[in-house]
Amino acid sequence: MKFEIVTIFPDFFRGPLQHGIVRRAQEAGLIDIRVHDLRAFTHDRHRTVDDRPFGGGEGMVLKPEPLFECCAAMGLEPQAARRAPGAKESVVLLSAQGRLFGQETAEELAALERVVLLCGRYEGVDERVGEHLADREISIGDYVLSGGELGALVIVDAVTRLLPGALGNQASAEQESFSGRVARREEGKPVSTCASGGLLDYPHYTRPAEYQGLPVPEVLVSGNHDQIRRWRRGRALEKTLRNRPELLERVALSEEDRELLAEIRQRQ
Ligand code: 9D3
């Protein structure tokens, strides 16, 4: 998978991509990340990438020409081909007005050979970029960021993890043991956003068994694996009910889940 990031802050990407799974994926040749300085595609002495908005208003707008010229220099497929089914490349505009990024979009992008990430800045990007250059416009969440760079990093991380071989053997084996028994949505697709299939993950503990007077839950050191499984499912349900109640409406609950939820609701 080739990622190409277009930004006015190429140095922003020096640190964050050199750690953990993303670093290893690069070293293994699974992914190749290129960062392009948008200012290299300007022609004036001041290397201008922004301009005032037509119609007036606050702030500056990212000009279309440097973004179009940068993409032209990359030798991308024509936009029609990129938008057709079976496309292998996609140009993504990171913007606060985009569709919300989620695990499903990460999976879509992971199936491609090349992903171009255009990082917005200033008050916005000339709309012709979103309409005629990018194939999709993505936001990473409902909060105001200063630009698309953090969004591009989020996408690189989430997509890289999905590439076969990106996770160590242990991690991928763990993931498989989850996906074997996850709840399934109407379309029959497993819910993979959360570790335990549509619910938030259960709490984890490690040694010491007691820390500053705080013990690890007894059941986890009991060796009773059916009780441990039931306890974990209960805590996953409890945490989901408290922090993300909307997820519970989309997940298929078993008879045992309903029992556990009834207990939890009684306790509260
Ligand atoms: C007056 C409205 N503006 C807020 C001050 C709109 C606005 C313009 C530009 C909001 C954010 C930005 C810059 N943000 C991004 O380019 C961005 C973003 C984001 O802000 N939130 C979530 N995901 C993303 S991806 C790119």
Side-chain angles (χ1 to χ4, degrees), residues 74-169:
M74 286 178 191
L76 287 157
E77 295 180 301
Q79 197 188 40
R82 300 193 316 254
R83 290 185 169 184
K88 294 182 165 67
E89 301 181 350
S90 190
V91 178
V92 176
L93 173 63
L94 278 306
S95 106
Q97 284 69 48
R99 291 215 177 126
L100 198 57
F101 182 69
Q103 195 67 18
E104 287 191 2
T105 314
E107 280 165 18
E108 257 181 65
L109 297 179
L112 304 176
E113 289 173 5
R114 190 181 192 194
V115 175
V116 177
L117 300 161
L118 308 177
C119 303
R121 272 277 155 179
Y122 308 111
E123 198 43 46
V125 179
D126 187 286
E127 190 66 16
R128 288 166 289 193
V129 171
E131 286 191 353
H132 302 286
L133 183 59
D135 308 312
R136 53 183 111 210
E137 194 169 342
I138 291 180
S139 158
I140 59 161
D142 293 335
Y143 32 78
V144 179
L145 298 172
S146 310
E149 283 76 7
L150 286 168
L153 287 173
V154 164
I155 291 177
V156 168
D157 190 276
V159 171
T160 298
R161 298 176 52 80
L162 293 173
L163 301 177
L167 305 181
N169 287 338

